[in-house]
Amino acid sequence: MQKTRIALDAMGGDQAPDAVLAGTLLACDPLGGLRIAPERVLLVGDRERIEPRLAELGGDPGVEILHASQVIGMHEHPATALRAKRDSSISRCVQAVAEGAAGGLISMGNTGAVVGASTLGLGTLPGVRRPGIAVTLDLTGQPVTLIDMGANIVPKPQHLYQYGVMGAVYMRDCLGTAKPRVALLNIGEESSKGTEVLREAHALLEESSLEFVGNIEGGDLFQGIADVVVSDGFTGNVVLKLMEGFAGFMLGLVLRELKAHDVTWGPEALARVERNIDYSAYGGALLLGVSGIVVIGHGRSGAQAVANAISLAARTLDAGVNEDIVRGLESGAREATT
Amino acid sequence: MQKTRIALDAMGGDQAPDAVLAGTLLACDPLGGLRIAPERVLLVGDRERIEPRLAELGGDPGVEILHASQVIGMHEHPATALRAKRDSSISRCVQAVAEGAAGGLISMGNTGAVVGASTLGLGTLPGVRRPGIAVTLDLTGQPVTLIDMGANIVPKPQHLYQYGVMGAVYMRDCLGTAKPRVALLNIGEESSKGTEVLREAHALLEESSLEFVGNIEGGDLFQGIADVVVSDGFTGNVVLKLMEGFAGFMLGLVLRELKAHDVTWGPEALARVERNIDYSAYGGALLLGVSGIVVIGHGRSGAQAVANAISLAARTLDAGVNEDIVRGLESGAREATT
């Protein structure tokens, strides 16, 4: 039972704790679509703030609370804050997983602190060299998982190969893609393109048993030719933030044009367009490769995004993604040495 | 006179030679907006194809033709093609500049071949370590110049600093930005963010006399907080192609929504939106740092984009951008050593 529990950082995110608590109620609503058993959720944070707010928002559905007296702010320096705040909600979430009181954790808080605390506190899965951040976007009406979005900004070729395995396992186990097509983000299609690291990663991916479709360029993300896109964490992070900024910019231009033509367009249509590049729709980013499920939500997550994150963590735990990553890397290693 | 001439690759691009010839006529039209003197244009390519097509398209306005018997295709391997085709239109354009028959060149052809031939054939400007590709986009209603978009995928900190100088000189000389704000594309605002190369580049830019505004993230490109954005060529190339692909993708989503609401929207409105991320509006990409003006147009350039490219080359030549880059780097070097 403990291992199916999810430690949820009640204090992380721009709208904490309210959005986290409301999201918990949404996820556990017996009449809702997600129907998470309340005993699977372990709310981590300031008990004196959580209990009364939970009562005000609709009443405790039966979740346990783990007290943590401190909060790491969104803009604090991760390493410094983790050292100074031993009783932070993020540290306590990680500790709960490390000690077996939970199988996974979720935080909408300081991404650097979540990645740092999880990597150090949980360690990597057997065979995994470096964890990577995976996000799933509906870029073409079909989900596409991009990995790594910033955990590892100067990866080695072996890390990139492993990101391909991890992304493919996630897509297969949680999104039902039977044989995920894996691509490498590069500046040209030919295997000779890009840095030496990328050329070596291309060779490793090609030798592997993955369904590797080769290099793709930035514009190909929208062509539906890959289910998993492997990237170094630096480029991945720039790309992810660029897409967020660009979507808002483009929609602004469109709205200006529509207004000039006296066309009114509802906010719900805008929201539908934005959803395609919003990884909250899939519940947040996953830090894959650590010993435990780690979901990093967007700081501005509202209740629905928090509920999606709880659902994502539960599905990833239940599907045995981490066990399959270990097996996938083992079989790849066997193939490479035989 | 020779030095103000522009060698124009008549055979490069998806619609060559027609788009190039029509663009030349547009640029030289005495009643048009650009009014380039015909004697400034040196058309380079197959004389037997150029002369009759020029006559059919409206008659020779008085441009000279330099014969070149070979064409490098858009998808040929640059180095191999340049070695095999000594009489290619790209090689002859570069040769014209190297020998002083022209001050600049324009090609809509194979980007790798243009960059390779120009870098080797023209050499770098005094003080310049590595050329960089600059593109200017109207991201916020104001022009923003991004440099480097792919000439140098593993730059050293000094190269990035020099891209800042080159981009700022171009913005000041050609786009009238008195004190261009220079930013470094990174994964966080703090100077400690990113790779070691970026941290060192940040220090060099901060020490310089440039108006350095620090690191910006991918989403900040659309915030209007920088006039010049310096990037490694790998990330720059991914970002540029991503924006092109993303714009088409977003507009597709928008059109689908509009159609579902029975809203019709003209193609001219779409074109206005797309223009904001189309660097052809500014005439193409500039390879800055080589001894000569080099404009690389988009392969799919039509006549108007070709005319814009001719105008860009003429303005860049006339403004003395290259002379100012050399002076800018000299004064920077003096400051750094005193």
Side-chain angles (χ1 to χ4, degrees):
Chain A
M1 173 60 221
Q2 304 283 66
K3 279 296 195 180
T4 70
R5 276 218 302 201
I6 297 150
L8 175 57
D9 174 10
M11 315 309 285
D14 302 338
Q15 305 167 53
D18 280 23
V20 181
L21 302 180
T24 301
L25 295 175
L26 204 55
C28 298
D29 184 347
L31 302 175
L34 301 174
R35 274 178 252 176
I36 300 289
E39 57 272 23
R40 290 194 71 171
V41 180
L42 178 66
L43 278 172
V44 181
D46 185 348
R47 185 186 299 274
E48 288 185 20
R49 285 184 67 192
I50 294 172
E51 280 180 344
R53 275 311 278 158
L54 203 52
E56 283 164 30
L57 288 167
D60 178 3
V63 302
E64 203 182 317
I65 297 173
L66 174 68
H67 183 67
S69 65
Q70 294 174 306
V71 179
I72 294 179
M74 297 300 274
H75 298 290
E76 288 191 67
H77 186 269
T80 312
L82 286 170
R83 268 193 305 272
K85 297 180 174 173
R86 300 281 172 180
D87 196 31
S88 74
S89 55
I90 289 175
S91 296
R92 292 295 176 209
C93 282
V94 171
Q95 194 184 16
V97 176
E99 294 176 349
L105 68 96
I106 301 168
S107 178
M108 317 289 156
N110 186 311
T111 299
V114 178
V115 172
S118 301
T119 305
L120 275 162
L122 306 180
T124 52
L125 289 167
V128 169
R129 302 280 189 89
R130 290 287 296 271
I133 297 175
V135 304
T136 304
L137 301 170
D138 246 352
L139 291 181
T140 55
Q142 292 289 322
V144 178
T145 293
L146 314 177
I147 179 171
D148 166 50
M149 297 295 103
N152 184 4
I153 63 171
V154 189
K156 296 194 190 312
Q158 184 73 15
H159 304 162
L160 294 171
Y161 155 70
Q162 293 199 337
Y163 292 154
V165 173
M166 294 193 242
V169 166
Y170 169 68
M171 286 297 286
R172 200 192 57 204
D173 284 3
C174 290
L175 292 164
T177 312
K179 193 87 180 147
R181 297 159 299 166
V182 178
L184 186 63
L185 187 61
N186 205 328
I187 57 170
E189 286 179 22
E190 305 86 342
S191 61
S192 61
K193 287 282 182 177
T195 61
E196 202 178 324
V197 167
L198 287 175
R199 289 195 298 271
E200 286 179 30
H202 189 285
L204 289 174
L205 287 162
E206 203 155 58
E207 285 162 19
S208 78
S209 55
L210 293 169
E211 185 84 2
F212 181 54
V213 296
N215 290 331
I216 64 169
E217 299 185 296
D220 300 332
L221 284 175
F222 312 97
Q223 302 294 325
I225 55 183
D227 305 302
V228 176
V229 177
V230 173
S231 164
D232 70 90
F234 183 87
T235 309
N237 192 278
V238 169
V239 157
L240 187 65
K241 290 174 179 163
L242 182 98
M243 287 199 286
E244 292 182 346
F246 199 20
F249 168 70
M250 288 287 296
L251 290 175
L253 289 177
V254 167
L255 284 180
R256 202 173 61 192
E257 281 292 333
L258 290 174
K259 210 172 163 189
H261 288 73
D262 284 327
V263 174
T264 45
W265 205 36
E268 67 290 342
L270 260 186
R272 270 196 300 277
V273 170
E274 274 186 320
R275 202 185 46 201
N276 284 63
I277 59 115
D278 179 10
Y279 60 82
S280 300
Y282 282 94
L286 276 167
L287 181 67
L288 290 177
V290 291
S291 293
I293 297 301
V294 178
V295 173
I296 308 164
H298 205 296
R300 58 164 193 263
S301 293
Q304 185 61 57
V306 171
N308 292 346
I310 297 172
S311 168
L312 171 67
R315 279 180 291 124
T316 311
L317 262 174
D318 297 346
V321 165
N322 279 356
E323 293 75 6
D324 287 342
I325 285 175
V326 173
R327 268 193 288 275
L329 290 174
E330 267 174 7
S331 72
R334 264 205 306 281
E335 280 161 27
T337 51
T338 53
Chain B
M1 174 58 221
Q2 306 283 67
K3 280 295 196 179
T4 70
R5 276 218 304 202
I6 298 149
L8 175 57
D9 174 9
M11 315 309 286
D14 302 336
Q15 305 167 54
D18 280 24
V20 181
L21 302 180
T24 302
L25 295 175
L26 205 57
C28 297
D29 184 348
L31 302 175
L34 300 174
R35 272 175 254 176
I36 300 290
E39 57 272 22
R40 289 194 71 172
V41 180
L42 178 65
L43 278 171
V44 181
D46 184 347
R47 186 187 298 275
E48 288 184 22
R49 285 183 67 190
I50 295 171
E51 280 180 343
R53 276 311 279 160
L54 203 52
E56 281 164 28
L57 289 166
D60 177 4
V63 302
E64 203 181 318
I65 297 173
L66 175 67
H67 182 67
S69 65
Q70 294 172 307
V71 179
I72 294 179
M74 298 299 274
H75 298 290
E76 288 192 65
H77 186 269
T80 312
L82 286 170
R83 269 193 305 272
K85 297 181 174 173
R86 300 281 172 181
D87 197 31
S88 75
S89 55
I90 289 174
S91 297
R92 291 296 175 208
C93 282
V94 171
Q95 192 184 18
V97 176
E99 293 176 348
L105 68 95
I106 301 168
S107 179
M108 316 291 154
N110 187 308
T111 299
V114 178
V115 171
S118 300
T119 305
L120 275 162
L122 306 179
T124 51
L125 289 167
V128 170
R129 302 278 188 92
R130 289 286 297 271
I133 297 175
V135 305
T136 304
L137 302 170
D138 246 351
L139 291 180
T140 54
Q142 293 288 322
V144 177
T145 293
L146 314 177
I147 179 171
D148 164 50
M149 295 296 103
N152 185 4
I153 64 171
V154 190
K156 295 192 190 313
Q158 183 74 15
H159 304 161
L160 294 171
Y161 155 70
Q162 292 198 339
Y163 293 153
V165 173
M166 293 193 242
V169 166
Y170 169 67
M171 286 297 286
R172 199 191 59 204
D173 284 4
C174 289
L175 292 164
T177 312
K179 193 87 180 145
R181 297 159 300 168
V182 177
L184 186 61
L185 187 61
N186 205 330
I187 57 170
E189 285 179 22
E190 306 86 341
S191 61
S192 61
K193 287 281 182 177
T195 61
E196 201 178 324
V197 167
L198 287 175
R199 290 195 296 271
E200 286 179 32
H202 188 285
L204 289 174
L205 286 161
E206 201 155 61
E207 285 162 18
S208 77
S209 55
L210 293 168
E211 185 84 2
F212 181 54
V213 296
N215 290 332
I216 64 169
E217 299 184 297
D220 301 332
L221 284 174
F222 313 97
Q223 302 294 327
I225 55 184
D227 305 301
V228 175
V229 177
V230 173
S231 164
D232 70 89
F234 183 86
T235 309
N237 192 277
V238 169
V239 158
L240 187 65
K241 289 175 179 162
L242 182 97
M243 287 199 285
E244 291 183 346
F246 199 20
F249 168 70
M250 289 286 295
L251 290 175
L253 290 177
V254 166
L255 283 180
R256 203 173 61 192
E257 281 293 334
L258 290 174
K259 212 173 162 189
H261 288 74
D262 283 327
V263 174
T264 45
W265 204 38
E268 65 291 342
L270 260 187
R272 270 196 300 277
V273 170
E274 275 188 315
R275 201 184 48 203
N276 284 63
I277 60 115
D278 179 9
Y279 60 82
S280 299
Y282 282 94
L286 276 168
L287 181 68
L288 290 177
V290 291
S291 292
I293 297 302
V294 178
V295 174
I296 308 164
H298 206 295
R300 58 165 193 260
S301 294
Q304 186 60 55
V306 171
N308 292 346
I310 298 171
S311 168
L312 171 66
R315 280 179 290 123
T316 311
L317 264 175
D318 297 348
V321 165
N322 278 356
E323 293 76 7
D324 287 343
I325 285 175
V326 173
R327 268 193 289 272
L329 290 174
E330 268 176 4
S331 71
R334 263 206 307 280
E335 280 161 27
T337 52
T338 53

